[in-house]
Amino acid sequence: MGVNISAPYIYVCTRMRVRKAKLLPKEEYMRMLNMSVSEITRIIGETEYKQEIDELGTAFEGMDLLEVALSWNLAKEYQKIQEIAPGTLKAFTQDYLRRWDIQNILTILRGKVQGEKTGKIKEILIPAGSLDKIMLDRLLAEDSNDRIIELLKGHRMYAVLAREFPAAKESGSFSHMENELYKQFYAEILGDTKAGIKGGASFLSYIQLEIDIKNVKTLFRLRADAQAPEGVREMYISGGTLSPTDFTSLNAIRDSNEFIDQLRASVRNESLHTLLDEMKGRKAMHDIEIRLTRVQLEQMEKMSKRNPFSIHPILVYLEKKKYEVFNLRALARGKESKLPSDKIAEYLVM
Amino acid sequence: MAAEVVAIAATDLASIQASQMGMKAIGAGLAVGLTGVGTGVAEMGIGAAAVGAIAENKDFFGLGLLFTVIPETIVIFGLVVGLLLLF
């Protein structure tokens, strides 16, 4: 299944494996936990982030330098991978990366509503999706959010944006629109994987895993927030192994042990089962989320070994890189606000 | 009459010898050709992976090159068999 023994696939998948091997190991994070922000910047300036740190070193300093360098590096990596991925893998990689479009657009819209400066918004954009730097700059230059939506005419997201934006503008909250955008995103990807393109089956297995983990995370979050049950169905993403009826009935269970038992029965995933057994009695939300993320990464790693020359090695690298940037950012932020090291370590995905 | 028979036998022998030589040449050709294809197929994967690894890390060049040419032994065996057949 999905195994493609052709030279370009082998080439790209090996490059991804080498890149993955170059990511920061756990020990490095442990060392960084005892350092200050400037020391962390210096250390990562000696690794893959050298170019960005050198380029931006004159314009920014401290936390800003680190933030911008990380975002730039992530965007550069993602763009590079889109360039080198062959054939259908390119299409799948682009599909996967389209989530950054949603994030960028929402960042711009939210920033504009809160009256943030253009430069400040630009710092946190990651031009990794189909909207490139030039397009994002054009969007940022607009003053009104209506004009921004207008500019996106012809983009895949436009239909949902045009439909949901007026209500979001009125209520001042973009969360419903965000849910809708992600639902459309997953629906489109699922459509693409089932369109009979070579290698679609392996991409589908990853997307299903991701949707499952997302739904489980949402369920845990909803428990922590004690949300009203009406809005719950709206947060469900279809396409995974968890059915919508299970999702709502699971959310109705109040006892946490019973909830975990039920969840275990409705999800088909062995490593998730072991994790769920471990989680009984745990309360801390961030701990649960990070464990779930780790399960997802482990599962992806296994998939990439099972299908060595498919979309999986690329996806594993993309995800791991994302979490490396996420970790470094959390580390630096935690250090800046003088949190104790063990507290920061709890938030890292290692 | 007898002289005719001898002459025919001599031409037959010559043609048989020639066709034997031809068969050997075909065998040698197949030995080198097929092992060449085998080597090519084997090197494709290794070469692609080696180039991928070298693109990321230049230090891998020597080792990558070494691994890429290891299936070359297959075609060398073919060549040896071919030469043994011919000479």
Side-chain angles (χ1 to χ4, degrees), chain A residues 190-202:
Chain A
L190 285 170
D192 282 353
T193 57
K194 288 171 184 160
I197 307 169
K198 196 171 74 176
S202 30

Side-chain angles (χ1 to χ4, degrees), chain A residues 31-89:
Chain A
R31 265 179 59 207
M32 283 186 194
L33 279 171
N34 302 318
M35 293 178 187
S36 67
V37 175
S38 57
E39 278 174 318
I40 294 173
T41 315
R42 192 178 55 78
I43 288 279
I44 67 164
E46 288 165 9
T47 58
E48 299 301 307
Y49 301 89
K50 186 177 189 317
Q51 200 192 337
E52 284 75 23
I53 298 273
D54 288 352
E55 269 176 34
L56 297 162
T58 47
F60 298 93
E61 57 177 5
M63 194 59 211
D64 285 343
L65 171 62
L66 200 73
E67 284 265 342
V68 183
L70 290 174
S71 308
W72 276 36
N73 184 275
L74 191 64
K76 187 187 81 179
E77 283 290 303
Y78 283 1
Q79 298 290 355
K80 181 84 195 156
I81 291 166
Q82 284 188 44
E83 266 172 42
I84 61 172
T88 52
L89 294 189

Side-chain angles (χ1 to χ4, degrees), chain A residues 5-7 10-11 14-15 18-19 22, chain B residues 44-45 48-49 51-53 55-57:
Chain A
I5 315 283
S6 80
I10 300 175
Y11 167 75
T14 315
R15 283 192 77 163
V18 177
R19 283 186 186 207
K22 281 195 210 163
Chain B
M44 178 194 74
V51 172
E56 291 299 327
N57 184 1

Side-chain angles (χ1 to χ4, degrees), chain A residues 126-271:
Chain A
I126 297 175
S130 62
L131 300 171
D132 56 4
K133 265 187 190 155
I134 303 156
M135 185 64 192
L136 288 172
D137 278 345
R138 273 179 60 200
L139 294 176
L140 272 171
E142 292 298 336
D143 283 327
S144 84
N145 278 345
D146 296 295
R147 280 284 301 147
I148 292 176
I149 307 278
E150 220 32 53
L151 267 180
L152 285 167
K153 210 166 202 168
H155 194 270
R156 285 180 194 237
M157 288 191 290
Y158 180 74
V160 178
L161 282 172
R163 192 181 69 219
E164 300 292 336
F165 185 67
K169 197 174 148 191
E170 209 155 280
S171 63
S173 153
F174 290 108
S175 56
H176 178 69
M177 188 166 87
E178 188 172 0
N179 287 340
E180 289 300 312
L181 282 171
Y182 276 109
K183 268 190 227 165
Q184 186 216 16
F185 166 73
Y186 282 115
E188 277 181 3
I189 288 193
L190 285 170
D192 282 353
T193 57
K194 288 171 184 160
I197 307 169
K198 196 171 74 176
S202 30
F203 192 39
L204 178 68
S205 61
Y206 159 71
I207 288 296
Q208 279 180 334
L209 170 74
E210 187 183 305
I211 294 177
D212 271 346
I213 299 275
K214 253 210 155 92
N215 280 333
V216 172
K217 272 186 189 169
T218 314
L219 277 172
F220 274 105
R221 273 187 206 162
L222 285 169
R223 296 184 68 72
D225 280 357
Q227 259 257 355
E230 308 85 68
V232 168
R233 257 312 286 281
E234 191 191 298
M235 294 178 197
Y236 169 78
I237 299 169
S238 56
T241 53
L242 195 68
S243 73
T245 38
D246 281 345
F247 187 83
T248 31
S249 63
L250 276 167
N251 190 53
I253 302 171
R254 288 273 68 100
D255 180 58
S256 76
N257 280 349
E258 199 191 330
F259 164 74
I260 287 177
D261 283 336
Q262 279 296 320
L263 184 59
R264 201 177 180 285
S266 21
V267 185
R268 291 195 306 268
N269 186 327
E270 240 170 70
S271 35

